Amino acid sequence: MTAVTPLTTGRRPPAGRSRSRRGRIGWLFVGPFMAVFALVFLAPIAYSLYLSFFRDQLVGGTSFVGLDNFRRAFEDDQFWAAVGRVALFLAVQVPVMLGLALLVALALDSGRLYGKSFFRISVFLPYAVPAVVATLMWGFIYGTRFGLVGNINDAFNVSLPDPLSPSLVLASIGNIVTWEFIGYNMLIFYSALRVVPKSLYEAAEIDGAGQWRIIAAVKIPAIRGALVIATIFSVIGSFQLFNEPSILQSLAPNAITTYFTPNLYTFTLSFSGRQQNYAATVSLVMGVVTMIIAYAVQLRGMRKEA
């Protein structure tokens, strides 16, 4: 008889043990990220939630108040006035900014723009300027005594409206934010346009579509995902408005109050009013409001895409 030689001499490890080993290796890779994520994201939220259930009083010290801080936030006229102000800012500034960014991106993608590289970097350059520097620069431009507006008034003997007056300060801040972020959103749209297959444009041209028809029926639908992402980022950024009003507050103290925006209101409560517990509550409520609106924008964009 001929002896049969086995093909393998070792034993295959059990399937369960192999999966467990792969799982441990996977957690080893994602462990550092999860640790940093918990430290810089989850821990501050948990601590803010903890603070929101307490109140620091002059008599009696810190005491547990349950949901009283949340009840106070929902009845706080100053807080909701700030929310309404940034909601108005969002409704006007974001469509204008994204519309201009889309227009610039389409112009760059058309291939008919002379000096495209210079134009692209020129539009993107304001985004590289720090927000503090940009706000100080525009604050000087808006000045009616020593700024550009004042110089124009003196040179032409006219009386231009004060950009930092209570009726125009929100529009002036919107102009600063638009100037800063047109280039950022343009880059998102232009990058999305560059990956659209050229065959779609050729097919549309064969069907007799003009350039405006190609833009409306091919280009814009093809970058709808980028439009949704840019809109969500802009919504979140609008509700986080802080740098511009905070810096301009010293130039226009009568127009920019301590509760001009929710973030400015929270900052004032925490560092000037010594109300860290209520400031944490306002931050949590504002975070939930922002999350709901951003999620609604995402759902609407996905529904249109479907």
Side-chain angles (χ1 to χ4, degrees):
M1 297 178 60
T2 304
V4 179
T5 304
L7 297 178
T8 58
T9 58
R11 292 184 177 181
R12 179 178 298 178
R17 184 182 303 175
S18 178
R19 285 195 297 268
S20 177
R21 184 172 180 271
R22 288 197 300 268
R24 287 196 300 269
I25 294 175
W27 279 108
L28 184 64
F29 278 103
V30 302
F33 166 77
M34 295 299 296
V36 174
F37 179 77
L39 181 64
V40 304
F41 185 78
L42 298 180
I45 294 178
Y47 185 60
S48 298
L49 186 61
Y50 168 78
L51 289 177
S52 66
F53 293 119
F54 293 87
R55 182 180 300 159
D56 192 8
Q57 301 173 341
L58 294 177
V59 179
T62 303
S63 59
F64 179 79
V65 294
L67 298 177
D68 284 354
N69 285 328
F70 291 93
R71 190 178 301 109
R72 176 186 172 187
F74 284 110
E75 297 174 354
D76 191 343
D77 293 337
Q78 292 183 343
F79 170 62
W80 291 111
V83 174
R85 195 172 292 111
V86 294
L88 176 62
F89 179 87
L90 164 66
V92 177
Q93 186 268 336
V94 170
V96 172
M97 177 182 64
L98 295 184
L100 291 174
L102 179 61
L103 183 64
V104 174
L106 290 171
L108 291 172
D109 186 67
S110 67
R112 303 181 180 183
L113 189 65
Y114 181 75
K116 182 174 67 174
S117 299
F118 175 78
F119 186 73
R120 182 173 65 243
I121 194 64
S122 300
V123 174
F124 183 76
L125 189 61
Y127 179 69
V129 178
V132 175
V133 177
T135 306
L136 290 174
M137 180 187 69
W138 278 99
F140 176 76
I141 294 175
Y142 290 151
T144 56
R145 295 183 59 188
F146 306 106
L148 180 61
V149 173
N151 293 336
I152 293 176
N153 290 339
D154 295 338
F156 298 97
N157 195 23
V158 296
S159 181
L160 296 176
D162 184 6
L164 298 179
S165 63
S167 59
L168 294 177
V169 67
L170 190 62
S172 299
I173 294 175
N175 176 65
I176 298 174
V177 176
T178 301
W179 181 81
E180 288 178 305
F181 288 96
I182 279 183
Y184 171 78
N185 292 285
M186 175 272 296
L187 190 62
I188 294 177
F189 298 151
Y190 180 67
S191 300
L193 286 169
R194 297 301 294 174
V195 299
V196 177
K198 300 298 182 183
S199 58
L200 295 178
Y201 304 153
E202 296 172 357
E205 291 177 354
I206 292 174
D207 290 339
Q211 289 300 318
W212 291 110
R213 182 61 179 172
I214 292 176
I215 291 174
V218 179
K219 290 188 175 183
I220 293 180
I223 64 169
R224 184 168 294 156
L227 288 169
V228 173
I229 291 175
T231 303
I232 292 174
F233 287 168
S234 301
V235 168
I236 296 174
S238 297
F239 281 117
Q240 291 179 340
L241 188 64
F242 176 77
N243 286 331
E244 291 78 11
S246 176
I247 295 171
L248 292 177
Q249 191 176 26
S250 60
L251 301 177
N254 296 327
I256 300 177
T257 60
T258 56
Y259 56 92
F260 190 79
T261 66
N263 273 5
L264 187 59
Y265 184 43
T266 303
F267 178 84
T268 304
L269 287 172
S270 181
F271 292 96
S272 299
R274 307 294 296 175
Q275 302 183 54
Q276 288 86 357
N277 301 93
Y278 184 56
T281 306
V282 171
S283 299
L284 289 173
V285 173
M286 198 62 221
V288 172
V289 171
T290 305
M291 181 181 64
I292 291 173
I293 295 179
Y295 185 63
V297 171
Q298 181 182 3
L299 286 181
R300 184 172 180 82
M302 292 173 61
R303 186 179 302 115
K304 284 186 176 182
E305 190 172 1

